[in-house]
Amino acid sequence: MTQTSSAESLINDLAIPTDLAKSLVGGGLLIKTYGCQMNEYDSEKMANLLENTHGLRLVDSAEEADVVLMNTCSVREKAQEKVFDELGKWKKWKAEKPHRVIGVGGCVASQEGKVIRKRAPYVDVIFGPQTLHRLPAMINDALGTRSVHGKAKAVIDISFPEIEKFDHLAKPESSGVSAFVSVMEGCSKYCTFCVVPYTRGEEVSRPFDDVLAEVRALAAQGVREVNLLGQNVNAYRGKMADGDVADLALLMQAVRNIEGIDRIRFTTSHPNEMSNNIINAYAELPELVSHLHLPIQSGSDRILALMKRNHLALEYKSIIRKVRAHRPNLSLSGDFIIGFPGETQADFEATMKLVEELKYDRSFSFIYSPRPGTPAASLPDDVPMDVKKQRLYALQELLNQQTLAHSEALIGTVQRVLVERLSRKSDREMAGRTECNRVVNFVGDIDMIGTFVDVKIHEALTNSLRGEVVATPEAGLATPQFYGL
Ligand code: SAM
Ligand code: F3S
């Protein structure tokens, strides 16, 4: 968007007082994103939207910014408190210029609503994960009241207007070879420890054709890999044009047929939604990576019942066994909660045993954090915090050993790598990702960006691998102009 003329036409189109609008249009937008990949996806959408409506461009520093948005996470107390600590730093910033705007979105906004404004009266807009498409109008309203009354009223909208948001977002844009595509929103599982169903609403799937249109648009921009996103992505049930309903397996079938898309990931999944169709997709779809992120939370059936996960540890193991029958080299990752109320040593040992048995490759583990309004928050809990910390430490030691073992097992193997960018270490080196999502650095050429190359792994470091290219099956296919080179 070119600055002056488009800024003027935007000002004419906008229902905001011109003096404040002039300073905002064409200005800088700083977005601070916390939490999950759904939030990362939403932040990208907010940036696209505000570029289209207000000509805002993304910046990295407070000095360059005119609008600051915090896209927040409330899954654990620490994540939530971080937001309030961060907000404190922006009061002075806002006072420096009359048109500056502060917005809080995401799950903390959804859960706390007006309370945010009580704790931080200088916040202008508060929006939820399902109302981010209304952000441009909310910013206009906030600036409008400020111009008339000298002081802005907070504009708050944290409702759940079904899936309207996707109809109002800007056209998909991607600057890389891999892109997130949100296919469903919310969660209807109501695990007793989790706030997500309350902050993001019930499960709602995007229509099948809408998702495919988004993937096609991304493929036309050079995207080779899509990561289908949802809090419970394997619960996807998208309406099709003929009235039928597609599940995630059918969606992946259609995505793989889109020209240019050669790698498919999906995250995050619930064990109870791992249907045979999805398990069989590992046999039928070569584009589906040999990686599965399947949270279990605990290896103890007693704790799983208290968490209302509605499955047994054995059922989870059986899913993994079936997927591994199709993909013996499957890289498995999970989420674990340590110290759920009343977790005994025996419960904890059941988790350790399950991890030892299944062999994970990178996982997330957390100490249980009571969340207001969730059923587990009122359960009695007599496990001291230092015991919980020791258990978490022991679990993480085991998980780290398994990750290292997985990396070391890759040494000497040839991995198919999607080349993403120049390596951060040297301009002679390129960086890409394996199917199991490991970063690999190798000597290569810039023309490889956007293609798959075969790399023999020589070394496993803590956060990455090193190797050498042994084959370039797609030589000549690269389109580096898509990636801003
Ligand atoms: N859909 C996924 C599933 O099937 O479990 C989970 C999505 S949830 C937002 C991401 C992870 O956050 C969970 O798997 C859980 O491990 C963690 N989590 C959620 N609530 C938590 C809490 N109250 N305390 C600690 N960890 C929590
Ligand atoms: Fe949370 Fe359980 Fe849903 S962990 S996101 S309520 S599957």
Side-chain angles (χ1 to χ4, degrees):
M1 193 168 289
T2 50
Q3 294 289 308
T4 344
S5 60
S6 59
E8 271 163 18
S9 71
L10 282 170
I11 289 164
N12 291 336
D13 292 347
L14 292 170
I16 48 177
T18 312
D19 53 344
L20 290 178
K22 261 190 190 145
S23 333
L24 189 63
V25 170
L29 168 67
L30 182 66
I31 306 186
K32 299 208 150 234
T33 307
Y34 304 85
C36 64
Q37 288 160 324
M38 266 53 76
N39 270 11
E40 280 177 40
Y41 176 88
D42 283 350
S43 292
E44 257 177 44
K45 295 290 169 191
M46 291 177 208
N48 290 347
L49 196 63
L50 289 169
E51 189 193 357
N52 287 351
T53 58
H54 287 69
L56 294 181
R57 80 212 128 74
L58 274 180
V59 295
D60 296 324
S61 70
E63 299 75 58
E64 294 170 279
D66 299 278
V67 176
V68 167
L69 300 176
M70 266 154 246
N71 195 6
T72 63
C73 169
S74 62
V75 157
R76 281 169 295 277
E77 192 184 358
K78 240 191 207 155
Q80 173 146 352
E81 277 314 306
K82 227 190 260 169
V83 174
F84 287 108
D85 291 350
E86 176 73 25
L87 267 177
K89 298 182 198 154
W90 292 95
K91 185 175 177 192
K92 197 164 154 269
W93 170 85
K94 183 172 160 185
E96 283 163 7
K97 289 189 184 163
H99 66 276
R100 282 182 165 169
V101 173
I102 300 181
V104 179
C107 290
V108 176
S110 189
Q111 180 145 23
E112 300 293 325
K114 281 190 198 138
V115 175
I116 295 180
R117 177 81 177 173
K118 278 208 189 105
R119 286 183 66 171
Y122 42 90
V123 170
D124 302 292
V125 292
I126 299 172
F127 57 101
Q130 312 303 355
T131 48
L132 62 92
H133 57 291
R134 297 181 182 164
L135 197 49
M138 292 170 80
I139 290 178
N140 293 350
D141 287 351
L143 286 173
T145 57
R146 194 185 303 169
S147 167
V148 175
H149 304 291
K151 191 167 172 270
K153 248 180 50 203
V155 180
I156 304 177
D157 185 350
I158 49 172
S159 57
F160 297 142
E162 270 279 304
I163 205 140
E164 157 194 316
K165 124 177 166 188
F166 290 105
D167 297 332
H168 293 84
L169 292 178
K171 289 209 170 62
E173 269 175 43
S174 177
S175 52
V177 297
S178 175
F180 291 131
V181 176
S182 177
V183 305
M184 53 95 64
E185 283 276 329
C187 180
S188 309
K189 299 287 182 283
Y190 292 91
C191 301
T192 55
F193 54 83
C194 185
V195 286
V196 169
Y198 311 98
T199 57
R200 299 189 84 105
E202 298 264 337
E203 286 161 12
V204 189
S205 296
R206 289 177 73 187
F208 185 74
D209 287 341
D210 289 10
V211 175
L212 296 184
E214 180 160 337
V215 178
R216 263 187 228 106
L218 290 166
Q221 293 168 45
V223 166
R224 304 292 311 274
E225 169 186 289
V226 287
N227 194 337
L228 305 176
L229 283 187
Q231 288 297 345
N232 261 318
V233 70
N234 54 349
Y236 177 78
R237 303 284 183 278
K239 272 210 189 99
M240 301 173 81
D242 60 6
D244 271 4
V245 173
D247 66 357
L248 182 70
L250 193 58
L251 183 69
M252 291 194 291
Q253 281 272 9
V255 167
R256 78 176 280 231
N257 289 331
I258 293 175
E259 173 96 30
I261 302 298
D262 287 296
R263 214 180 238 183
I264 303 174
R265 302 181 185 279
F266 62 86
T267 197
T268 296
S269 298
H270 191 287
N272 288 354
E273 302 284 354
M274 281 304 284
S275 62
N276 283 337
N277 279 354
I278 298 177
I279 293 172
N280 291 338
Y282 282 92
E284 290 158 10
L285 309 181
E287 292 81 0
L288 175 59
V289 291
S290 292
H291 174 254
L292 172 62
H293 182 71
L294 196 63
I296 180 160
Q297 320 296 356
S298 169
S300 152
D301 288 337
R302 197 181 72 84
I303 296 290
L304 288 174
L306 287 172
M307 289 177 163
K308 204 167 127 311
R309 294 290 289 180
N310 291 328
H311 66 80
L312 301 172
L314 194 66
E315 289 166 315
Y316 177 91
K317 286 196 255 181
S318 146
I319 296 167
I320 305 303
R321 203 187 53 243
K322 288 183 200 158
V323 178
R324 281 196 166 136
H326 299 312
R327 301 284 179 97
N329 62 343
L330 183 83
S331 143
L332 173 68
S333 59
D335 292 347
F336 298 90
I337 294 180
I338 288 297
F340 188 79
E343 181 192 68
T344 62
Q345 186 61 22
D347 293 321
F348 169 66
E349 279 163 16
T351 302
M352 293 292 277
K353 192 161 164 273
L354 177 128
V355 171
E356 268 161 22
E357 227 177 293
L358 290 180
K359 308 239 175 320
Y360 284 83
D361 173 24
R362 289 201 291 194
S363 288
F364 301 95
S365 46
F366 319 92
I367 289 186
Y368 165 72
S369 168
R371 304 313 294 131
T374 59
S378 51
L379 290 178
D381 184 11
D382 54 4
V383 186
M385 187 45 96
D386 57 334
V387 172
K388 294 183 183 183
K389 284 187 177 159
Q390 282 164 19
R391 288 180 186 164
L392 182 71
Y393 182 79
L395 173 67
Q396 291 185 337
E397 279 272 287
L398 177 59
L399 289 168
N400 288 343
Q401 279 167 20
Q402 294 188 342
T403 305
L404 190 66
H406 190 94
S407 294
E408 282 172 354
L410 294 173
I411 295 175
T413 65
V414 173
Q415 297 293 313
R416 182 134 298 185
V417 171
L418 175 56
V419 187
E420 292 184 354
R421 54 177 167 81
L422 277 171
S423 145
R424 297 206 170 91
K425 293 186 183 116
S426 139
D427 58 10
R428 278 183 59 244
E429 287 195 3
M430 306 304 296
R433 279 175 196 271
T434 62
E435 276 201 29
C436 60
N437 225 1
R438 288 279 199 292
V439 172
V440 187
N441 291 298
F442 53 89
V443 172
D445 194 279
I446 210 154
D447 283 347
M448 291 174 172
I449 292 180
T451 68
F452 287 90
V453 298
D454 291 336
V455 177
K456 184 158 187 192
I457 308 300
H458 291 320
E459 201 184 349
L461 305 165
T462 320
N463 293 316
S464 62
L465 303 168
R466 296 188 58 76
E468 92 184 280
V469 175
V470 291
T472 53
E474 296 190 332
L477 248 186
T479 46
Q481 70 273 18
F482 286 130
Y483 312 114
L485 297 168

